[in-house]
């Protein structure tokens, strides 16, 4: 089948494709984040420091995930995107299974690196496929639905990881997380059609010709002030989010004495339900507010709630009751997920059709290298650094320090909204 042979099918089939890609993204996050609930067990198994745990849950995955995403996306702007996603899913699922066989920290670190290698080819081609099945006015909502894979994957990672850890051990948790992905890769390859590039645009797209070179795309994006601020805001927002997701289970185990099994249910439901609602709401309300009140609201829809969430994100570290601390975690879980759909819709809508996969990959390169790599590692490093001063409360104050980064993110969301409004007015 030619890469350009299928148009964007209306109705049910495009929803089916979105559903399959959502399932793929769910396993992307399940396999990526299951390690968070397993950190206390891995610390005991391999006698690790918090810095090593931060490396395992952050940079080990993020470095190759971020850097390889760009060359894979360059390929995806030229060849069949569905085959890239299917191959990537197969690789990261196999590496997750192998993580359960690790006999040392070095082996586990290597397998987690290769999980990152596989996942590098997942999202940018998927964003490009979705953008060719859904029109611009629907795209924020569609990308928000696709991004529900984040909270659903986190929910499953917490619950499956915590329950299996408690009853069967951490190795079995990796096996159960990784094996289904191999079957989903086969389903994707056999049932998803590659759409024609530009099929869903409101204005017919002429002959596309040759895809732009990598640096041409990057220069184009860096010349767009709104995109620069969206990149900065999303990266800082995710720096806090990824750091919290990686370390909040360990925080509740250490500071509140909760068991991994009990904690996995609580956090799975909070992150899965409220994080999922936030992910969907961000894309949904961004599309509607942008249509009614202007494009700047694709950023303001994140900025205003983020300001409101700050007291909750700080307060959860100062209450002694575990249940109350978990309740205070609900607003940050909801609001911290709002940015995903609006940010992706701005990225996809600001570049030409043949830049889309590379645009997403560059966005994820910046986001994941700094946020996914740096967030968990920074908290782990600060926790070790603060032990002489705060002893058993070191992790609490390390996470608290990182929470204040959201104030910086808030500033960039406001600047992004202003830039989007100016660009829309000029157009």
């Amino acid at each position: 089948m030619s890469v350009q042979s299928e148009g964007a099918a209306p109705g049910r089939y495009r929803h089916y494709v979105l559903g399959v890609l959502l399932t793929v993204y769910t396993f992307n996050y399940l396999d990526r984040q299951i390690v968070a609930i397993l950190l206390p067990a891995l610390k005991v198994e391999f006698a690790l420091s918090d810095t090593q745990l931060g490396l395992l849950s952050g940079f080990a995955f993020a470095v190759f995930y971020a850097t390889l995403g760009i060359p894979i996306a360059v390929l995806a702007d030229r060849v069949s995107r569905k085959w890239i996603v299917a191959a990537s899913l197969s690789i990261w699922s196999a590496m997750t299974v192998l993580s359960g066989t690790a006999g040392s920290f070095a082996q586990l670190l290597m397998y987690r690196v290769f999980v990152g290698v596989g996942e590098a080819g997942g999202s940018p081609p998927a964003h490009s496929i979705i953008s060719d099945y859904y029109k611009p006015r629907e795209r924020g909502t569609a990308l928000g639905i696709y991004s529900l894979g984040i909270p659903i994957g986190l929910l499953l990672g917490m619950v499956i990881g915590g329950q299996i850890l408690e009853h069967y051990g951490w190795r079995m948790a990796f096996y159960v997380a990784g094996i289904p992905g191999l079957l989903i890769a086969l389903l994707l390859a056999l049932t998803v059609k590659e759409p024609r590039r530009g099929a869903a645009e409101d204005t017919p797209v002429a002959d596309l010709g040759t895809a732009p070179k990598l640096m041409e795309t990057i220069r184009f994006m860096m010349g767009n002030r709104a995109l620069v601020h969206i990149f900065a805001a999303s990266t800082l927002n995710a720096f806090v989010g990824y750091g919290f997701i990686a370390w909040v289970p360990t925080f509740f185990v250490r500071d509140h004495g909760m068991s991994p099994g009990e904690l996995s249910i609580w956090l799975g439901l909070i992150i899965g339900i409220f994080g999922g609602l936030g992910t969907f709401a961000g894309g949904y309300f961004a599309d509607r507010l942008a249509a009614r009140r202007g494009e700047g609201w694709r950023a303001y829809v994140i900025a205003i709630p983020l300001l409101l969430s700050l007291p909750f994100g700080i307060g959860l570290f100062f209450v002694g009751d575990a249940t109350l601390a978990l309740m205070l975690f609900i607003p940050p879980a909801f609001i911290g997920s709002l940015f995903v759909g609006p940010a992706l819709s701005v990225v996809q809508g600001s570049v030409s059709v043949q830049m889309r996969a590379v645009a997403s990959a560059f966005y994820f390169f910046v986001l994941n290298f700094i946020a996914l790599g740096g967030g968990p590692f920074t908290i782990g490093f600060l926790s070790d650094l603060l032990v002489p001063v705060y002893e058993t409360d070191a992790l609490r104050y390390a996470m608290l320090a990182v929470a204040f980064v959201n104030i910086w993110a808030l500033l960039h969301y406001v600047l992004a909204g202003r830039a989007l409004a100016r660009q829309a007015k000029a157009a």
Side-chain angles (χ1 to χ4, degrees):
M1 181 185 295
S2 166
V3 172
Q4 305 285 342
S5 62
E6 298 289 345
R12 292 182 180 178
Y13 182 71
R14 65 178 184 156
H15 299 329
Y16 169 77
V17 172
L18 181 59
V20 172
L21 293 175
L22 166 60
T23 304
V24 172
Y25 203 34
T26 296
F27 276 87
N28 180 302
Y29 262 80
L30 191 162
D31 292 356
R32 179 190 310 188
Q33 295 293 347
I34 194 172
V35 73
I37 197 70
L38 305 180
L39 287 182
L42 296 174
K43 182 180 181 70
V44 173
E45 178 80 15
F46 299 115
L48 304 178
S49 68
D50 282 357
T51 300
Q52 287 174 303
L53 292 177
L55 179 65
L56 185 66
S57 58
F59 275 120
F61 174 92
V63 170
F64 286 93
Y65 175 72
T67 54
L68 287 178
I70 293 178
I72 291 173
V74 170
L75 184 65
D77 276 334
R78 291 160 172 78
V79 302
S80 174
R81 294 160 286 183
K82 77 160 188 177
W83 287 107
I84 292 177
V85 177
S88 298
L89 173 57
S90 300
I91 292 169
W92 86 62
S93 298
M95 291 299 112
T96 300
V97 173
L98 287 174
S99 296
T101 69
S104 67
F105 173 68
Q107 286 183 343
L108 182 58
L109 192 68
M110 178 184 70
Y111 291 138
R112 297 307 294 173
V113 164
F114 279 99
V115 170
V117 169
E119 292 195 6
S123 287
H127 293 162
S128 182
I129 291 172
I130 292 167
S131 294
D132 285 335
Y133 274 111
Y134 288 87
K135 291 184 177 296
R137 62 181 177 274
E138 309 168 308
R139 202 166 285 155
T141 302
L143 289 167
I145 292 172
Y146 168 76
S147 299
L148 287 172
I150 299 172
I152 296 172
L154 289 170
L155 185 156
L156 294 175
M158 292 289 181
V159 173
I160 291 173
Q163 296 303 309
I164 294 179
L165 170 65
E166 195 155 283
H167 295 94
Y168 302 102
W170 63 268
R171 296 183 187 276
M172 182 60 69
F174 281 124
Y175 300 150
V176 172
I179 290 172
L182 299 172
L183 301 176
I184 297 166
L186 183 63
L187 176 72
L188 170 67
L190 294 178
T191 64
V192 170
K193 299 176 183 178
E194 178 77 15
R196 178 175 57 81
R197 298 181 195 269
E201 298 307 303
D202 290 328
T203 303
V205 177
D207 181 25
L208 296 174
T210 304
K213 294 181 180 180
L214 171 61
M215 291 309 300
E216 182 181 346
T217 299
I218 292 175
R219 281 194 296 269
F220 177 85
M221 296 176 73
M222 291 298 94
N224 184 310
R225 187 176 294 274
L227 276 180
V228 170
H229 285 301
I230 282 291
F231 271 48
S234 300
T235 299
L236 294 166
N237 199 166
F239 184 90
V240 178
Y242 281 129
F244 271 44
I245 288 170
W247 282 103
V248 80
T250 303
F251 167 73
F252 278 100
V253 169
R254 289 185 190 176
D255 285 58
H256 294 284
M258 299 183 72
S259 71
E262 176 190 13
L263 184 60
S264 69
I265 300 296
W266 275 100
L267 290 180
L269 291 174
I270 290 172
I271 295 172
I273 294 174
F274 293 98
L277 289 172
T279 302
F280 176 78
Y284 179 85
F285 286 108
D287 280 348
R288 275 141 191 82
L289 287 170
R292 294 176 184 176
R293 305 190 64 177
E295 284 296 310
W297 279 88
R298 293 194 184 276
Y300 299 146
V301 76
I302 314 167
I304 296 170
L306 187 62
L307 177 63
L308 299 177
S309 76
L310 290 173
F312 297 93
I314 294 168
L316 72 91
F317 295 108
F318 291 99
V319 296
D321 182 73
T323 303
L324 179 57
L326 286 164
M327 293 302 98
L328 288 172
F329 185 55
I330 290 174
F334 174 82
I335 293 168
S337 303
L338 287 174
F339 79 93
V340 181
L344 290 175
S345 68
V346 171
V347 172
Q348 292 289 292
S350 299
V351 300
S352 68
V353 168
Q354 278 195 296
M355 291 181 176
R356 283 178 176 159
V358 170
S360 281
F362 185 62
Y363 170 76
F364 277 122
F365 170 79
V366 176
L367 186 83
N368 290 310
F369 192 85
I370 297 173
L372 180 57
F377 179 79
T378 299
I379 290 176
F381 177 76
L382 286 175
S383 178
D384 283 338
L385 191 67
L386 294 174
V387 165
V389 179
Y390 294 106
E391 299 178 342
T392 57
D393 286 329
L395 179 59
R396 177 195 304 267
Y397 287 102
M399 295 182 71
L400 180 63
V402 167
F404 284 98
V405 172
N406 267 334
I407 297 174
W408 189 4
L410 176 64
L411 172 64
H412 283 288
Y413 280 128
V414 172
L415 293 174
R418 291 178 178 178
L420 285 167
R422 285 196 299 269
Q423 289 175 9
K425 185 176 181 180

